[in-house]
Amino acid sequence: MARKIDELLQFDRKHIWHPYTSIDSPLGVYLVDSAQGVRLRLQDGRELIDGMASWWSVIHGYNNSHLTLALQQQAERLAHVMFGGLTHEPAIRLAKLLIDITPEGLNRVFFCDSGSVAVEVAMKMAIQCSYAQGHTGKNKFLTIRSGYHGDTFHAMSVCDPVTGMHQLYQGILPQYLFADKPNCLFTDEWDETDIESLKHLLEANHQSICAVILEPIVQGAGGMHFYHPRYLRRVRELCDRYQVLLIADEIATGFGRSGRLFACEHARITPDILCLGKALTGGYMTLAAVLATAEVGHVISRGQPGVFMHGPTFMANPLACSVALRSVELLIETDWRSNVLRIEEQLTKGLIPCREISGVKDVRILGAIGVVELERPVNMARIQQRFVDNGVWVRPFGPLVYIMPPYVINDDDLQTLTGAVCRVVEAELSQ
Ligand SMILES: Cc1ncc(COP(=O)(O)O)c(C=O)c1O
């Protein structure tokens, strides 16, 4: 067995690119054999409590019997069929459910393959909306620093210019407008000056801006900041005033993670276009959805060429739609809100002690997201090994050690997870 594991890992090391790694000198990876609930089982028999929900997606835990069954039943019926000229019940029922649970007014649905593609689709919708109204020069985007929207080109163009490596792709990425990142935090008293930067940019450039795009309330991979709901309200008001669309990227926050079903609810706003992904399928398959208002749909359809110009091969894949439908049903059938609140309380209890560790800059918690920000970036290889040695799966980036476990995690496992974070952070910072 040890030999087989070695061979597999050696092949992987030599031939397979992992996210953001060098192919010549990659960091080590761990071979996962199976997973159940909140536990990842490595091929060598070790078990790790998962603190990442596979990057926000596995909200109901791994190998959830309801989701597995939905997938199996759908596979026996219809695994895939093209969406051009054909449709199917899983897509229709999922669209209906998404319309029911997302902020009022979003009732036109476009299914696509992944979060980044959803962002591309949303941006194309905004551009087509402008062009359909004859505003050919109104095709720029305004966003906020510290954002993250994915790794495809247009998505990258609205990621934070520093962490999104705009320098590297100079001359290729479109140049868009960046307002300062919101400084007023979720729990701070609202400070009206926080919106000034975005307000000035909109005032000065609204004639060339088709949409503002942002992550509502939680800026994820761009820095794990939680900003004030009033900021989002102001953005909505300004977009209305200047007739600019608002695209809310809820790919990370959607489906309860921030303590509301959708983070836009913290500010009681409806965006014109909403991007969903990640937890949509409970982490079983890749699928994303872009919801738009009827107005956006009408404007695009009345303009040239009268259609929305996008149509991926695996659009609305029936397997993905079925498992997504079951996942969303499962979420809303349960008392997810109290559960996320329970996790928030446990994360607070378990992580706040990290504030006492020298070298910890900040500890913040919102919903089922816990962040320990250090004063310097971690040594990835070393800290990863330490987490595994402590029986947990946590994958920091830069100076951010953060956890967002599957919602099914119980208090004991959560305590083990937060305890490990405190211990490992302390060990890392004493190095
Ligand atoms: C807010 C946000 N938007 C878009 C994406 C891109 O999604 P995907 O990785 O599925 O392409 C991510 C991924 O982390 C994200 O957090």
Side-chain angles (χ1 to χ4, degrees):
M1 178 55 113
R3 190 151 153 250
K4 184 185 161 205
I5 295 176
D6 240 32
E7 275 171 18
L8 288 170
L9 284 175
Q10 264 179 35
F11 186 91
D12 184 290
R13 187 175 177 81
K14 191 160 173 204
H15 297 283
I16 307 180
W17 244 304
H18 284 261
Y20 311 103
T21 52
S22 155
I23 195 84
D24 285 342
S25 55
L27 291 178
V29 292
Y30 300 86
L31 195 58
V32 180
D33 176 58
S34 58
Q36 182 69 47
V38 294
R39 283 182 164 67
L40 303 177
R41 189 160 218 273
L42 302 186
Q43 197 100 20
D44 61 15
R46 283 181 292 174
E47 279 193 351
L48 307 177
I49 297 173
D50 177 34
M52 304 305 292
S54 281
W55 281 334
W56 316 78
S57 63
V58 183
I59 51 176
H60 304 299
Y62 297 87
N63 200 10
N64 178 287
S65 58
H66 300 276
L67 301 192
T68 304
L69 184 65
L71 200 54
Q72 281 167 344
Q73 287 178 338
Q74 186 59 42
E76 284 165 16
R77 217 182 163 88
L78 175 69
H80 184 60
V81 68
M82 62 187 280
F83 213 52
L86 299 170
T87 192
H88 48 81
E89 196 175 334
I92 296 166
R93 289 180 55 204
L94 177 61
K96 188 170 183 316
L97 185 55
L98 292 178
I99 290 169
D100 285 349
I101 63 168
T102 50
E104 180 80 32
L106 295 164
N107 51 25
R108 300 291 186 268
V109 185
F110 190 98
F111 289 113
C112 54
D113 319 47
S114 70
S116 302
V117 176
V119 169
E120 300 287 333
V121 165
M123 293 174 82
K124 282 174 75 173
M125 280 182 180
I127 289 173
Q128 271 201 239
C129 242
S130 266
Y131 287 180
Q133 291 168 302
H135 306 312
T136 47
K138 202 170 158 72
N139 54 12
K140 295 216 176 310
F141 291 86
L142 169 59
T143 186
I144 48 183
R145 285 180 188 272
S146 289
Y148 177 77
H149 297 282
D151 288 347
T152 52
F153 272 95
H154 253 77
M156 253 197 319
S157 71
V158 285
C159 289
D160 183 86
V162 178
T163 53
M165 298 272 169
H166 287 204
Q167 205 62 26
L168 185 65
Y169 298 97
Q170 223 175 21
I172 298 168
L173 285 185
Q175 302 283 304
Y176 294 140
L177 297 154
F178 287 84
D180 294 344
K181 108 175 145 62
N183 274 321
C184 199
L185 303 180
F186 190 84
T187 45
D188 288 348
E189 200 159 311
W190 169 241
D191 174 0
E192 202 62 45
T193 61
D194 214 28
I195 195 69
E196 287 299 309
S197 166
L198 185 130
K199 190 173 164 192
H200 286 144
L201 283 169
L202 255 186
E203 260 164 18
N205 302 285
H206 63 94
Q207 268 149 351
S208 63
I209 297 173
C210 60
V212 170
I213 176 166
L214 46 66
E215 296 155 278
I217 308 299
V218 178
Q219 291 191 289
M224 304 297 291
H225 298 288
F226 312 140
Y227 65 85
H228 202 288
R230 200 77 73 86
Y231 185 94
L232 189 55
R233 280 193 76 76
R234 290 286 179 270
V235 176
R236 177 69 275 182
E237 288 160 12
L238 289 165
C239 284
D240 289 342
R241 186 184 311 161
Y242 291 110
Q243 302 201 335
V244 162
L245 296 178
L246 176 58
I247 302 173
D249 176 352
E250 291 235 24
I251 286 156
T253 48
F255 306 103
R257 184 58 70 176
S258 73
R260 298 290 170 101
L261 203 47
F262 299 97
C264 283
E265 293 173 19
H266 287 287
R268 295 187 302 280
I269 61 130
T270 298
D272 301 286
I273 302 175
L274 173 75
C275 301
L276 302 175
K278 289 188 183 276
L280 174 59
T281 62
Y284 263 61
M285 318 247 331
T286 177
L287 179 73
V290 181
L291 281 88
T293 59
E295 177 66 13
V296 167
H298 288 323
V299 170
I300 292 174
S301 307
R302 284 189 209 120
Q304 279 299 328
V307 296
F308 178 56
M309 287 300 291
H310 206 95
T313 306
F314 287 101
M315 183 169 179
N317 170 262
L319 290 175
C321 286
S322 292
V323 77
L325 177 64
R326 196 65 200 104
S327 174
V328 181
E329 282 173 352
L330 205 56
L331 183 68
I332 56 179
E333 277 164 13
T334 57
D335 187 5
W336 65 268
R337 198 184 291 270
S338 325
N339 198 26
V340 170
L341 196 64
R342 168 188 69 88
I343 296 172
E344 182 174 56
E345 282 164 4
Q346 292 294 317
L347 287 175
T348 307
K349 208 159 88 189
L351 295 180
I352 290 295
C354 287
R355 286 199 177 140
E356 305 306 317
I357 303 170
S358 154
V360 167
K361 189 172 168 194
D362 188 31
V363 178
R364 43 188 185 268
I365 291 106
L366 181 69
I369 315 165
V371 184
V372 180
E373 183 171 356
L374 316 188
E375 280 163 6
R376 60 167 167 80
V378 300
N379 175 319
M380 195 57 176
R382 189 173 61 206
I383 202 166
Q384 195 76 95
Q385 182 64 50
R386 279 206 172 109
F387 277 122
V388 171
D389 292 344
N390 274 267
V392 301
W393 180 245
V394 178
R395 183 150 177 98
F397 68 87
L400 297 164
V401 179
Y402 64 106
I403 49 179
M404 58 260 194
Y407 301 162
V408 293
I409 194 164
N410 65 32
D411 289 351
D412 287 346
D413 285 345
L414 201 44
Q415 210 178 343
T416 306
L417 194 55
T418 53
V421 168
C422 296
R423 272 195 309 282
V424 171
V425 161
E426 187 155 25
E428 174 71 13
L429 288 170
S430 66
Q431 211 77 41

